[in-house]
Amino acid sequence: MDEEALLNDAECLANLMPHPTMPPRKEKRSVIHAFTFPAQDFKLRIGDTPLRSGTLEPAGEIVSLDEDKGIIELKLGPSRSPIEPGTALIPAGPIGDAVLRAAIYRYAELIAAGGKRYNAITAILRRDRPRLIDRESGREIVAEGIDATTGAVDALIALDSSYLLIQGPPGAGKTYTSSQAIVALLAAGKRVGVASNSHKAINNLLSDVETKAIAQGLQCRGMKKSTREDQALGTGGWIEDVVGGSGSGVEAHHRLVAGTAWLFAREELDEAFDYLFIDEAGQVSLANIIAMGVAARNIVLVGDQMQLSQPIKGTHPGDSGLSALDYLLEGQATVPADQGVFLPVTRRMHPDLCRFVSDAVYESRLRAEASTALQRIDVDPARDSDAIASAGLRFVDVHHSDCTQRSQPEADRLSLTYRALLGGRWTDRHGETHLIGTDDILVVSPYNMQVELLKRVLPEGARVGTVDKFQGQEAPVVLVSMATSSGDDLPRNIEFLYSRNRLNVAISRAKCLAVIYANPRLLEIPCSTIGQMELVDGLCWAKQFADEQRKNALDILTDSCAA
């Protein structure tokens, strides 16, 4: 892989350079070396023992890592050669998948033999509609007029060796709904598993479950399985942490069990659970759904395929490379009413912002909760009339040329808006007013090179990153820098820069105001397929929507001045 590919690969940490002011220091027989690295997304953590890209020689142990300052320290033993400037670190290797393969084989062998177990997995693979007790197939999962969370809980209790899909758009409360359902199922005497690709997602859901169970006086015991201490839940509550060890750590008294696919694929946990909740199912491969699905009689897929999907590498025949949600929904933006539950109300976005996201991404099914209309940016628009508004979407034209992944003009233009907003005030959905600081503005770009540039031109402490970094986060204001000058300058394919999912995630981080900075030539790019035309149309739609909102705001201002 070349340097650019390594920088854009979230599994790697590329372009390490010796730190100019931190000399190597000895620790027993080893030596600790400090390096700097440019802004990029990566998954390496303290305690990891990565390899050097190219030579695959061990690069020592990561003993400290500061992403904000771009500094990493590696401990090298006496037998290791020096790390050359420009070196990239890669993971030591894939986690062994033998337990996952064995689980998939168990399922396949049973089906080949005409067995009738694992019905939930089979229903997913056949794309059957969910089966509920005393309900006809094809009927709405949640009837018209019924609260989505209440309806989801009722449907889950009635689930009959099947699956259910819960789609939660940005700010719509999928964690709230999942935790409510889990606590209700535990109270009904059910045994529940919780899984996801990431321990962060698992811990976020478990914290909510633990709090709600305590509030309802539910007496229960649970456990969370982790490989390392930094993955542990760490609440000290009724969900105990089990870290490391070769066994599962699951005991008969554990009514709630959480972990990754490697835990639930174990043969000793075969059909040990009444329900398995799989969070962020839009990022979980179909193969992993099968592997861990053997542990439960009912499977609950929670996520949103219209946000960031799982990264795909290698070649996958047929539909095997799809996530569970993409496989089931076959390109549909929202889950059909007879296949799952769509959470229709966002408690994050102002109505003026939600309207675009709903129409452009969610088939006009998403609406803003009434109190979000109170949210607003209380900064005089005259400080930057093209970008600043009380709420909604704005599109700022920035003309430049020959920019691929880095645009100084866009960075400078965005900086003007950023500094105009700092020190102003914003009002939340409870009517409380706050000072706008660096924590209240997210700055997003598709490219790591633009992220690095923006960090240099913006005030210290600015929250700057790629879309991937900020999924799940929010702020009153989001500023988006597209960076690329035109279709001739695209460093990757159209599908990356114009991704509807990435645009959705970027804009929907905002509570009040989202601003896109882009060269208008990006709206004139030639397309070779209908799919590419649809993607480019998404950015054109954003431009048109933003211009109409700005014109309406100016008309209202003109009318008020005339009056």
Side-chain angles (χ1 to χ4, degrees):
M1 295 173 70
D2 59 23
E3 180 180 332
E4 180 181 323
L6 289 165
L7 275 170
N8 290 319
D9 191 331
E11 301 292 336
C12 307
L13 183 57
N15 200 18
L16 268 61
M17 302 299 290
H19 196 285
T21 62
M22 295 175 63
R25 67 181 190 276
K26 294 205 63 151
E27 184 178 280
K28 297 182 180 178
R29 297 185 60 207
S30 300
V31 178
I32 296 176
H33 299 263
F35 299 88
T36 62
F37 58 86
Q40 57 194 287
D41 294 322
F42 58 88
K43 297 179 181 178
L44 294 173
R45 295 291 180 263
I46 293 173
D48 288 348
T49 53
L51 306 177
R52 311 177 203 201
S53 174
T55 67
L56 300 184
E57 181 184 353
E61 179 187 354
I62 301 176
V63 294
S64 74
L65 185 55
D66 190 324
E67 182 177 0
D68 292 331
K69 295 181 179 178
I71 300 174
I72 184 173
E73 288 188 308
L74 296 166
K75 182 166 69 173
L76 288 170
S79 64
R80 299 299 176 200
S81 62
I83 294 178
E84 298 295 327
T87 293
L89 305 181
I90 63 175
I95 302 172
D97 62 359
V99 66
L100 304 183
R101 290 174 180 267
I104 295 172
Y105 287 149
R106 289 200 306 277
Y107 171 75
E109 288 170 351
L110 179 118
I111 296 302
K116 301 299 182 183
R117 297 165 57 209
Y118 309 133
N119 292 328
I121 298 175
T122 301
I124 290 172
L125 294 179
R126 289 178 175 170
R127 298 190 178 102
D128 293 340
R129 285 319 194 228
R131 185 171 60 250
L132 280 68
I133 297 171
D134 295 330
R135 293 201 199 181
E136 294 179 11
S137 178
R139 287 180 55 189
E140 292 181 332
I141 301 296
V142 178
E144 187 78 25
I146 301 298
D147 174 73
T149 297
T150 302
V153 173
D154 290 343
L156 287 172
I157 291 174
L159 206 57
D160 184 16
S161 295
S162 189
Y163 77 94
L164 191 69
L165 196 161
I166 299 176
Q167 183 180 0
K174 69 180 181 68
T175 300
Y176 172 83
T177 299
S178 298
S179 59
Q180 288 281 98
I182 290 171
V183 171
L185 291 168
L186 291 172
K190 305 299 183 182
R191 198 178 193 203
V192 180
V194 174
S196 185
N197 274 353
S198 75
H199 286 274
K200 181 179 179 181
I202 295 170
N203 290 344
N204 182 50
L205 178 53
L206 290 183
S207 296
D208 225 35
V209 169
E210 197 169 57
T211 300
K212 284 184 172 60
I214 292 172
Q216 295 182 24
L218 179 64
Q219 299 294 318
C220 191
R221 295 186 66 178
M223 64 84 72
K224 158 76 191 309
K225 173 72 172 181
S226 307
T227 303
R228 306 190 308 260
E229 287 288 348
D230 63 323
Q231 299 169 341
L233 177 62
T235 59
W238 60 268
I239 302 176
E240 62 182 284
D241 281 304
V242 177
V243 181
S246 58
S248 69
V250 179
E251 302 290 347
H253 60 259
H254 290 136
R255 306 304 300 167
L256 176 68
V257 173
T260 63
W262 278 260
L263 173 65
F264 291 103
R266 289 170 174 263
E267 190 167 6
E268 65 265 31
L269 296 182
D270 212 70
E271 292 196 315
F273 300 91
D274 298 301
Y275 292 83
L276 177 63
F277 281 71
I278 302 176
D279 198 12
E280 295 187 344
Q283 299 185 29
V284 180
S285 70
L286 191 60
N288 278 15
I289 296 292
I290 298 170
M292 60 178 129
V294 298
R297 285 175 284 281
N298 297 286
I299 298 173
V300 187
L301 302 172
V302 183
D304 182 13
Q305 80 285 357
M306 300 310 296
Q307 298 187 58
L308 298 185
S309 59
Q310 63 164 346
I312 296 292
K313 297 182 181 180
T315 302
H316 304 269
D319 293 331
S320 62
L322 298 178
S323 75
L325 300 191
D326 287 323
Y327 175 82
L328 281 168
L329 295 176
E330 299 182 281
Q332 297 179 95
T334 62
V335 58
D338 65 344
Q339 191 174 12
V341 180
F342 181 82
L343 302 179
V345 180
T346 177
R347 291 165 180 80
R348 176 187 299 164
M349 291 179 281
H350 186 281
D352 288 350
L353 194 57
C354 176
R355 192 177 309 119
F356 171 75
V357 173
S358 180
D359 292 347
V361 181
Y362 294 107
E363 301 174 331
S364 302
R365 291 180 66 183
L366 183 67
R367 66 182 187 276
E369 197 268 334
S371 66
T372 60
L374 296 175
Q375 297 176 160
R376 65 179 184 274
I377 301 300
D378 298 313
V379 175
D380 184 0
R383 299 184 67 178
D384 188 349
S385 59
D386 289 336
I388 295 178
S390 60
L393 181 65
R394 292 293 183 268
F395 194 108
V396 177
D397 293 343
V398 185
H399 296 273
H400 46 79
S401 59
D402 302 322
C403 297
T404 55
Q405 302 181 61
R406 179 181 182 275
S407 170
Q408 185 72 54
E410 271 191 34
D412 292 340
R413 181 62 185 86
L414 185 150
S415 179
L416 291 176
T417 307
Y418 192 101
R419 296 173 191 279
L421 289 165
L422 276 183
R425 294 191 172 275
W426 77 280
T427 302
D428 64 25
R429 67 189 186 97
H430 304 293
E432 298 179 2
T433 302
H434 311 268
L435 194 69
I436 298 177
T438 55
D439 285 343
D440 301 306
I441 308 172
L442 288 184
V443 181
V444 183
S445 178
Y447 307 114
N448 286 309
M449 290 181 65
Q450 185 70 355
V451 166
E452 185 177 10
L453 174 61
L454 287 163
K455 284 183 175 179
R456 292 203 299 268
V457 303
L458 295 175
E460 185 175 354
R463 299 171 66 188
V464 187
T466 61
V467 175
D468 307 68
K469 177 178 179 179
F470 288 134
Q471 177 156 291
Q473 300 187 43
E474 61 184 24
V477 181
V478 171
L479 309 179
V480 183
S481 173
M482 300 297 286
T484 304
S485 293
S486 69
D488 294 333
D489 301 298
L490 281 176
R492 301 197 210 174
N493 52 33
I494 287 177
E495 287 75 13
F496 175 79
L497 182 62
Y498 293 87
S499 165
R500 182 167 54 162
N501 293 43
R502 290 179 177 275
L503 185 65
N504 175 30
V505 173
I507 292 174
S508 64
R509 302 308 92 198
K511 297 180 179 181
C512 306
L513 175 66
V515 187
I516 300 172
Y517 301 82
N519 192 322
R521 291 172 62 197
L522 285 179
L523 308 177
E524 304 166 359
I525 185 170
C527 301
S528 57
T529 68
I530 292 176
Q532 289 181 349
M533 292 176 64
E534 290 174 343
L535 291 176
V536 176
D537 183 61
L539 189 62
C540 294
W541 192 346
K543 163 76 169 169
Q544 180 183 5
F545 185 93
D547 287 349
E548 288 177 356
Q549 279 198 339
R550 184 168 181 269
K551 180 180 180 300
N552 291 339
L554 289 173
D555 289 345
I556 292 172
L557 180 63
T558 301
D559 291 343
S560 64
C561 290

